Amino acid sequence: MSHQIHIVGVQFSSFTRAVQFCCEEIGLTYTLGTAVNGQEYSLRSPALKTINPFSKVPVLLDADRPLYETQSICRYLDNQYNQARLQPQDAWQKAEVDQWCAAITTYADKAIVRNYLLEFLFPKGPNGSVREDVVAAAIPDVIQVVGILEQQLGGKDFLVGNQFSLADILLAPMITYLVNAPHNLDLVSKDSVLRSYAMRILARPAAKNVFIPIVK
Ligand SMILES: N[C@@H](CCC(=O)N[C@@H](CS)C(=O)NCC(=O)O)C(=O)O
């Protein structure tokens, strides 16, 4: 087991949480934060650019080697330290996991996190208020993505082939945030497939140090 893994990131970031969840599932020892070995890699700092030219977190440091992009980091951790147990062996199912990883980190992230949830986390209205027009404009895409995910999950415990995989690791931070979203619209209803999925994810021992419990 490696003891040289550091996740450069902030714990509230959904992508950082995905990498942390991956480390917890694999049972890796890791540290997390923007400071490592006396060096500060805070968001938008010149230092962060030296390990990710796109200035985004998370960045994995494995024995000081930097690797960025959440999907690539999780796939590397699984391949290197977990005998790829979070990816199916069957080529078709593996491609489906890759497909969902890509769709989650692009379309779902944009609709759920960037355009919707971030307005609650960092409100940009007058006196730090939530811009209701921004929220209203974002909701149709959230509803569409929730529908796609619920259709995929229907009758199954996990996204692909009913086996917990990297696709679930990437989706979990977004869905647990969404279920807790402080908004009066019930985007994920109490008896919905997606809510049950979120509860199933939160019940995993590896989730304990990563996510906050669902309060809604
Ligand atoms: N495609 C990247 C996206 C990473 C990303 O957007 N990270 C956000 C935090 S969740 C970030 O670094 N935001 C800070 C900024 O844009 O300055 C990945 O999959 O890792």
Side-chain angles (χ1 to χ4, degrees):
M1 216 44 74
S2 172
H3 292 270
Q4 348 164 43
I5 288 183
H6 183 81
I7 306 165
V8 177
V10 284
Q11 216 273 336
F12 64 79
S13 138
S14 50
F15 285 128
T16 301
R17 279 188 182 184
V19 172
Q20 185 189 13
F21 191 26
C22 191
C23 287
E24 292 279 346
E25 283 285 344
I26 294 173
L28 289 169
T29 301
Y30 63 91
T31 48
L32 188 159
T34 53
V36 57
N37 296 334
Q39 173 66 58
E40 178 64 39
Y41 295 104
S42 48
L43 295 179
R44 293 179 205 100
S45 65
L48 181 58
K49 264 203 163 137
T50 66
I51 53 171
N52 180 351
F54 297 96
S55 283
K56 299 283 181 194
V57 294
V59 179
L60 178 80
L61 295 177
D62 186 355
D64 295 330
R65 290 183 307 178
L67 186 69
Y68 55 86
E69 285 303 300
T70 305
Q71 282 190 64
S72 309
I73 295 169
C74 292
R75 221 165 266 136
Y76 164 73
L77 291 172
D78 190 40
N79 290 334
Q80 176 72 7
Y81 297 113
N82 197 36
Q83 293 162 35
R85 278 187 281 245
L86 294 168
Q87 302 165 80
Q89 287 189 335
D90 173 78
W92 182 260
Q93 286 204 338
K94 186 174 184 306
E96 284 191 314
V97 167
D98 292 346
Q99 166 196 279
W100 279 102
C101 286
I104 289 160
T105 54
T106 53
Y107 315 130
D109 172 67
K110 185 164 188 266
I112 295 175
V113 180
R114 307 297 128 192
N115 293 350
Y116 180 70
L117 290 174
L118 282 185
E119 185 58 28
F120 295 107
L121 270 176
F122 304 106
K124 295 202 172 59
N127 303 318
S129 61
V130 170
R131 293 171 301 178
E132 290 299 330
D133 56 329
V134 170
V135 170
I139 282 174
D141 284 351
V142 177
I143 290 172
Q144 190 194 21
V145 170
V146 164
I148 292 168
L149 294 170
E150 294 206 325
Q151 191 176 1
Q152 176 65 15
L153 279 166
K156 301 205 304 299
D157 282 354
F158 303 110
L159 268 178
V160 181
N162 219 7
Q163 179 194 331
F164 183 82
S165 73
L166 292 181
D168 300 293
I169 285 189
L170 292 169
L171 183 59
M174 298 176 196
I175 296 309
T176 48
Y177 261 135
L178 183 63
V179 173
N180 268 332
H183 198 263
N184 53 3
L185 275 183
D186 210 0
L187 292 168
V188 185
S189 61
K190 289 257 185 285
D191 56 353
S192 75
V193 167
L194 209 51
R195 194 172 198 280
S196 312
Y197 172 76
M199 302 308 279
R200 198 173 303 123
I201 294 287
L202 288 180
R204 297 179 73 82
K208 196 165 57 86
N209 295 327
V210 184
F211 306 110
I212 52 164
I214 288 174
V215 292
K216 280 181 82 187

